[in-house]
Amino acid sequence: CGFNGGFFIIGNTDGEWKIVKEIKLGYEVDELEDAGNVLAIGKVDNRKRVINFWDLEKEEMVEDLEIVLKRFTSCKFIYPHIFMIGGRGDADKTGVEIWNVETGEMVRHLLKGEKRHDYIKTNGKFLAVCEFINSWISGEEKILKLAVYNVDQVLDQDVPEEGLWNKSLEYSTEDMGSGERIRAAFNQKSIIVSHGTTISVKKIIKK
């Protein structure tokens, strides 16, 4: 977990979870994400999010690997790619931006100019994004979209967006209380969706 000077490594020692190591970086860590064999560590600098990478085995920063991105709302890694949604200020808040952190290049801006999303989830094979909704909306029905994509296709720049396989699921706000959100998770064959007081399980079949 991050703190105002670095981050802690927490482990189970003799059946008890506790801080086993404190890593001092000299700046406030505002983002920590699992990125496979490395840990992505983010800080805010000049209204941007700067991400460096901590080698979990060597317990040191990876040299010459840093990427500067917009201040996104949430992200997931399938290394070396970061999938991020949302933003602050004048940044484009729509869709899903996908960047290669090693090359510093954007791979794709999925759903650019369409909707904002407030949740992203992946199992490495599929990617799900849930539409953003203001918590104050109440009494007026709105249909929210959850979109599922195949990760390999999304990362293939030779496949145009209109040629991507995708599965769309729609849910009504009438079934959700104020402040509730759509959330999703995956197992090997299905997507599990929480919407309101209901949990749905849908099989995912990519033709």
Side-chain angles (χ1 to χ4, degrees):
C1 62
F3 68 97
N4 190 26
F7 65 96
F8 297 117
I9 297 176
I10 299 174
N12 190 318
T13 303
D14 299 325
E16 180 181 357
W17 289 95
K18 58 184 179 181
I19 296 172
V20 296
K21 193 165 188 177
E22 177 181 339
I23 309 297
K24 295 183 179 180
L25 300 174
Y27 57 81
E28 181 179 358
V29 173
D30 85 324
E31 188 77 30
L32 280 175
E33 289 290 336
D34 178 12
N37 294 325
V38 295
L39 182 67
I41 301 172
K43 66 178 179 180
V44 176
D45 185 21
N46 196 26
R47 300 182 181 180
K48 298 285 188 178
R49 181 161 280 129
V50 181
I51 297 180
N52 296 96
F53 297 88
W54 179 265
D55 188 307
L56 294 171
E57 183 177 343
K58 296 180 180 179
E59 295 192 351
E60 62 184 25
M61 283 292 188
V62 179
E63 293 186 5
D64 301 321
L65 183 56
E66 177 181 280
I67 188 167
V68 180
L69 301 165
K70 67 179 182 180
R71 287 189 68 182
F72 51 81
T73 303
S74 183
C75 75
K76 293 295 178 187
F77 274 88
I78 304 176
Y79 194 85
H81 298 98
I82 180 174
F83 300 71
M84 58 187 191
I85 57 174
R88 296 190 182 187
D90 296 331
D92 189 337
K93 302 174 181 65
T94 65
V96 184
E97 290 188 29
I98 304 159
W99 291 73
N100 184 316
V101 301
E102 292 184 343
T103 64
E105 297 178 348
M106 181 189 286
V107 175
R108 189 187 295 271
H109 190 162
L110 187 64
L111 301 172
K112 178 179 173 65
E114 295 188 19
K115 298 179 179 181
R116 293 173 60 187
H117 300 87
D118 73 348
Y119 186 75
I120 183 169
K121 190 71 173 180
T122 182
N123 64 351
K125 183 177 180 181
F126 293 102
L127 173 76
V129 287
C130 304
E131 183 180 349
F132 171 83
I133 180 175
N134 289 319
S135 60
W136 52 264
I137 293 178
S138 178
E140 179 182 348
E141 182 182 21
K142 183 177 180 181
I143 302 300
L144 299 179
K145 179 181 177 182
L146 183 150
V148 183
Y149 288 87
N150 177 269
V151 169
D152 287 342
Q153 278 196 348
V154 169
L155 294 178
D156 187 345
Q157 293 178 291
D158 291 331
V159 180
E161 183 160 339
E162 59 270 20
L164 295 173
W165 174 91
N166 72 88
K167 185 178 183 68
S168 294
L169 304 172
E170 295 183 340
Y171 300 95
S172 171
T173 56
E174 288 189 343
D175 301 324
M176 301 166 61
S178 178
E180 291 183 344
R181 298 287 191 272
I182 299 174
R183 294 294 180 259
F186 293 97
N187 59 23
Q188 292 300 314
K189 297 181 180 180
S190 305
I191 183 170
I192 300 94
V193 183
S194 170
H195 49 105
T197 59
T198 305
I199 294 178
S200 303
V201 180
K202 304 281 187 180
K203 287 187 176 180
I204 301 175
I205 301 175
K206 174 184 173 296
K207 296 181 179 179

